[in-house]
Amino acid sequence: MTWTIAPEPYDSPAATALWRAYYTEVSDRWYLLREGRRTGAEELEREIARESGAELAPPRGVLLVGRWGGEPAGTAGVRLLDAGTAELTRVYVARGLRGRGGAAALVGAAEEAARGFGAGRMVLDTRGDLVEARALYARLGYRETEAYNDSPYAEHWFAKPLGGRAGRAGRVEGVSPTG
């Protein structure tokens, strides 16, 4: 089997289920490390609803869904911060499918989408406890940089030049600045 990656509305059933899985995992990890507990159900619902993902819609963003064997199994989001800079967000691969190249494929597709939007640089933020994510980004050519936001959960910021600007999204069909 191989990964297939395509744009999908941020509020589709597959995207919503993957967002819930991603947020539950990173939130539980945060609270388990700091308070020895999982995220409370009410808190989880409130925060998932608060972060709708609307910024990952055309014309300034896209949510990519990766499928393994046709089943939704991962995401990567891109949103333009300014004319030359895109932000990578919501990189997630379902726990049982990690180690099969999905994260690198999703990040690569996100970079192509960012180029398609005209961005020459990709930035992202992550937490200190997400050591696997930090290792992935470093392996893919991202380097730690200065803070570009004031997110209360961001502890590390990364950037990567994207090289030449593509006029279209390359191999990620359906991604364009106009939707």
Side-chain angles (χ1 to χ4, degrees):
M1 280 192 247
T2 61
W3 287 93
T4 58
I5 300 170
E8 187 149 336
Y10 68 90
D11 57 354
S12 74
T16 300
L18 288 164
W19 171 232
R20 174 174 291 284
Y22 167 85
Y23 195 88
T24 300
E25 184 174 331
V26 297
S27 184
D28 279 353
R29 190 169 183 169
W30 173 269
Y31 283 111
L32 284 167
L33 285 171
R34 286 161 181 80
E35 298 179 14
R37 67 173 179 91
R38 295 193 179 279
T39 311
E42 188 175 300
E43 178 180 35
L44 185 64
E45 294 306 319
R46 181 183 67 242
E47 294 304 311
I48 287 172
R50 187 177 66 81
E51 298 286 331
S52 73
E55 72 280 4
L56 302 177
R60 297 186 53 84
V62 65
L63 180 71
L64 302 169
V65 171
R67 286 181 164 71
W68 178 262
E71 295 298 316
T75 62
V78 176
R79 67 182 181 137
L80 285 176
L81 298 180
D82 60 46
T85 306
E87 181 180 43
L88 178 63
T89 186
R90 293 194 185 193
V91 176
Y92 173 75
V93 173
R95 191 178 299 260
L97 294 171
R98 293 176 187 162
R100 298 178 190 206
L106 283 159
V107 171
E111 290 170 356
E112 286 297 317
R115 284 185 198 96
F117 286 135
R121 179 175 182 247
M122 184 84 88
V123 296
L124 65 95
D125 68 55
T126 191
R127 295 190 332 228
D129 62 301
L130 299 177
V131 294
E132 305 90 343
R134 291 188 359 247
L136 169 73
Y137 300 133
R139 185 172 40 100
L140 296 177
Y142 288 81
R143 299 293 173 248
E144 288 217 42
T145 189
E146 69 281 348
Y148 67 89
N149 64 25
D150 60 359
S151 169
Y153 299 109
E155 298 169 322
H156 297 269
W157 294 264
F158 289 81
K160 179 181 179 180
L162 295 177
R165 294 181 183 198
R168 51 185 280 284
R171 69 180 191 271
V172 184
E173 292 188 28
V175 179
S176 72
T178 58

